[in-house]
Amino acid sequence: MRSEATPQLSGLERFASAGKGRGLRARRRFAVGELLLSCPAYVAVLTVSERGSHCDCCFARKEGLSKCGRCKQAFYCNVECQKEDWPMHRLECASMCTFGQSWQPSETVRLTARILAKQKTHPERTQSEKLLAVKEFESHLDKLDNEKRELIQNDIAALHHFYSKHLDYPDNAALVVLFAQVNCNGFTIEDEELSHLGSAIFPDVALMNHSCCPNVIVTYKGTLAEVRAVREIEPGEEIFSSYIDLLYPTEDRNDRLRDSYFFSCDCRECTTKEKDKEKLEICKLNDPPSAETVKDMIKYARNVIEEFRRAKHYKYILCLTLTPLVELLEICELSLDKMGAVFEDSNVYMLHMMYQAMGICLYVQDWEGALCYGQKIIRPYSKHYPSYSLNVASMWLKLGRLYMALKNRTAGVKALKRAIAIMEVAHGKDHPYISEIKKELEDH
């Protein structure tokens, strides 16, 4: 007999997953594209750069949003959205007025402030916590190194600095645990092109364990997370999502998992490493590069990716001026030239830098340059990523929109239809993004 204490949803149950702790398991069969789970955000914050184009409450993308009359920095669809968001926005509104342009807590700090407020106003279990409560989140506190602990203390200092009027603070030790929980269990909400929209907490979705061979995918409808099957799932099978970008080879993926989530993956993909050779494809030359040369180039590629990430963070995100963008594009081009002497264009490190270069071209509206990079990326993406990958769908979508902008309607229609075919499985056929893309096809 099944224990009544086992939390369940229709067709799903929480269970003890061997070697992984808590997990989510299917109680019935799910077909490809079928919705397993919907979870409203426990709390969510819209990223600052999207203010004015998306509603701060529901994340809807609209023109003519109404701004908060006091701080003039939050925007809403209507009075209903503004009223619904007020218990959370009130945490920030007065502080925004006080600090002005100096008001810049991180999204992690903003999210944590909202959790504290929510726990005070809603101590009971919410609709987002049918299977897993926020207070049950794993913190991995014992695995934090000094650098991570210092970063958390910086976040705690920012929390005290920017939030005071409407928050009751627990002691420092409790805040350390909460920030560690948010770091391990927070979600990034992205749009149809995988542009960052904000951060959120989805407790029931956080119950799923990771696999590099996931059987579900998580997408977002505003601040609602939806989980759909990307392959057939049988009764008794564990539900796995992916916590990370699956483009990279086994060693890179597990480095990321250990750094962010404190475990290594033992899925079939990581055990067999069967895709690593294709992902690290070497140039076919009469005089092939030595193993040492290849090893050195992989090390170079990893270093330049990290350097670029830091440069992008400090120069590109915080200071959007033309000169840093030109510098970043030069980094991409120089690294592509150097790596291209050893790696094929389909090598994932080449693809990474091409993707960054494409993003810069899109930002400066160099449509031809962006298209050139996108055309080189799409086929290897389709090979390296799993079926129904959002990364592949977003690349087809970007290519389709670029073709349309450059008056190549035939290629544009073909690319957009490829994006739709993936998104109808990943997002569901009734998703607003799909309706928008279909309207783009009609308008052209």
Side-chain angles (χ1 to χ4, degrees):
M1 182 178 293
R2 190 180 304 279
S3 168
E4 292 183 2
T6 303
Q8 298 176 16
L9 283 175
S10 178
L12 300 170
E13 64 180 355
R14 172 175 158 173
F15 80 116
S17 178
K20 300 181 186 297
R22 297 179 294 252
L24 187 64
R25 182 167 60 189
R27 299 175 61 213
R28 65 170 178 84
R29 182 183 176 278
F30 289 93
V32 173
E34 188 173 353
L35 181 69
L36 281 76
L37 172 66
S38 294
C39 181
Y42 180 81
V43 291
V45 291
L46 183 73
T47 196
V48 172
S49 62
E50 294 299 331
R51 284 192 167 141
S53 59
H54 288 76
C55 174
D56 273 72
C57 177
C58 69
F59 283 29
R61 181 169 55 203
K62 289 184 179 180
E63 293 182 0
L65 294 169
S66 301
K67 67 176 67 173
C68 171
R70 188 176 183 189
C71 70
K72 297 180 172 52
Q73 294 189 55
F75 293 78
Y76 299 100
C77 297
N78 47 43
V79 172
E80 287 73 23
C81 276
Q82 186 169 10
K83 285 182 178 178
E84 183 179 339
D85 193 49
W86 177 244
M88 294 293 109
H89 178 56
R90 72 193 290 263
L91 298 171
E92 302 180 345
C93 191
S95 182
M96 286 174 171
C97 294
T98 301
F99 286 95
Q101 294 300 312
S102 299
W103 188 87
Q104 44 186 252
S106 68
E107 282 183 31
T108 301
V109 170
R110 295 175 63 203
L111 207 57
T112 304
R114 293 185 177 215
I115 292 173
L116 289 170
K118 182 97 170 189
Q119 288 175 338
K120 182 181 178 181
T121 58
H122 292 81
E124 71 283 359
R125 211 168 176 114
T126 67
Q127 283 296 104
S128 309
E129 302 170 284
K130 293 177 180 177
L131 298 170
L132 182 69
V134 169
K135 291 182 178 180
E136 294 181 274
F137 280 174
E138 178 61 68
S139 67
H140 296 290
L141 200 62
D142 60 321
K143 301 182 182 74
L144 298 181
D145 58 25
N146 289 336
E147 182 181 359
K148 286 184 171 59
R149 287 180 180 275
E150 184 178 344
L151 290 172
I152 286 177
Q153 289 300 335
N154 291 340
D155 281 339
I156 291 173
L159 182 71
H160 283 286
H161 182 65
F162 290 110
Y163 296 85
S164 58
K165 190 173 181 181
H166 302 291
L167 273 184
D168 291 332
Y169 296 101
D171 62 28
N172 187 271
L175 283 175
V176 170
V177 171
L178 182 55
F179 272 104
Q181 289 174 321
V182 171
N183 288 336
C184 286
N185 296 278
F187 287 80
T188 295
I189 297 180
E190 297 170 323
D191 68 10
E192 76 276 27
E193 290 193 3
L194 301 189
S195 294
H196 181 74
L197 292 184
S199 300
I201 297 294
F202 298 104
D204 287 345
V205 183
L207 180 61
M208 294 186 296
N209 286 312
H210 164 85
S211 173
C212 299
C213 310
N215 51 16
V216 299
I217 199 162
V218 182
T219 56
Y220 305 98
K221 190 179 288 181
T223 57
L224 179 75
E226 297 186 325
V227 179
R228 286 185 170 79
V230 290
R231 63 174 177 79
E232 290 187 359
I233 300 172
E234 299 299 331
E237 192 174 344
E238 182 164 3
I239 308 303
F240 289 109
S241 64
S242 174
Y243 294 179
I244 56 171
D245 189 335
L246 295 175
L247 178 66
Y248 301 94
T250 305
E251 185 178 343
D252 296 49
R253 295 196 309 273
N254 277 284
D255 282 348
R256 170 71 193 283
L257 289 169
R258 282 189 291 269
D259 182 63
S260 298
Y261 303 102
F262 309 100
F263 70 87
S264 296
C265 183
D266 59 359
C267 73
R268 175 179 52 79
E269 188 74 31
C270 290
T271 303
T272 64
K273 302 182 180 181
E274 61 186 14
K275 289 188 177 181
D276 283 3
K277 186 175 180 181
E278 281 188 342
K279 291 184 174 185
L280 297 172
E281 192 167 1
I282 308 304
C283 289
K284 298 174 179 64
L285 304 170
N286 291 331
D287 185 18
S290 67
E292 192 65 28
T293 299
V294 173
K295 184 179 178 181
D296 288 345
M297 192 57 72
I298 290 174
K299 183 178 180 181
Y300 165 80
R302 289 172 175 163
N303 287 339
V304 79
I305 286 171
E306 178 60 21
E307 286 176 14
F308 187 89
R309 185 192 67 78
R310 291 180 179 179
K312 188 177 180 183
H313 177 71
Y314 291 114
K315 294 183 181 179
Y316 178 38
I317 294 177
L318 299 181
C319 183
L320 290 174
T321 61
L322 184 60
T323 302
L325 290 172
V326 171
E327 290 175 2
L328 289 172
L329 190 56
E330 286 177 356
I331 293 173
C332 293
E333 292 170 345
L334 289 170
S335 65
L336 285 168
D337 285 343
K338 182 169 182 175
M339 291 190 294
V342 176
F343 298 152
E344 287 286 353
D345 279 357
S346 60
N347 184 294
V348 295
Y349 298 125
M350 296 285 285
L351 295 173
H352 178 98
M353 297 314 297
M354 288 182 200
Y355 183 82
Q356 302 303 326
M358 182 183 183
I360 296 168
C361 289
L362 287 170
Y363 189 84
V364 300
Q365 299 186 3
D366 175 7
W367 308 136
E368 288 87 357
L371 181 63
C372 182
Y373 282 115
Q375 288 171 328
K376 291 180 180 179
I377 291 170
I378 188 59
R379 296 301 175 188
Y381 260 33
S382 300
K383 180 173 68 172
H384 295 324
Y385 277 112
S387 301
Y388 309 112
S389 164
L390 296 180
N391 301 80
V392 178
S394 72
M395 186 54 63
W396 279 121
L397 182 55
K398 289 173 183 175
L399 284 171
R401 287 170 170 170
L402 284 167
Y403 282 128
M404 290 297 194
L406 295 168
K407 310 301 181 185
N408 186 345
R409 187 179 186 280
T410 301
V413 168
K414 184 178 179 181
L416 291 178
K417 285 184 175 180
R418 284 181 177 270
I420 290 171
I422 297 171
M423 292 174 69
E424 284 184 335
V425 172
H427 291 78
K429 293 183 178 181
D430 63 343
H431 198 285
Y433 287 155
I434 294 175
S435 301
E436 290 175 12
I437 299 167
K438 288 181 176 179
K439 188 174 187 306
E440 289 177 43
L441 286 169
E442 293 171 3
D443 292 345
H444 284 85

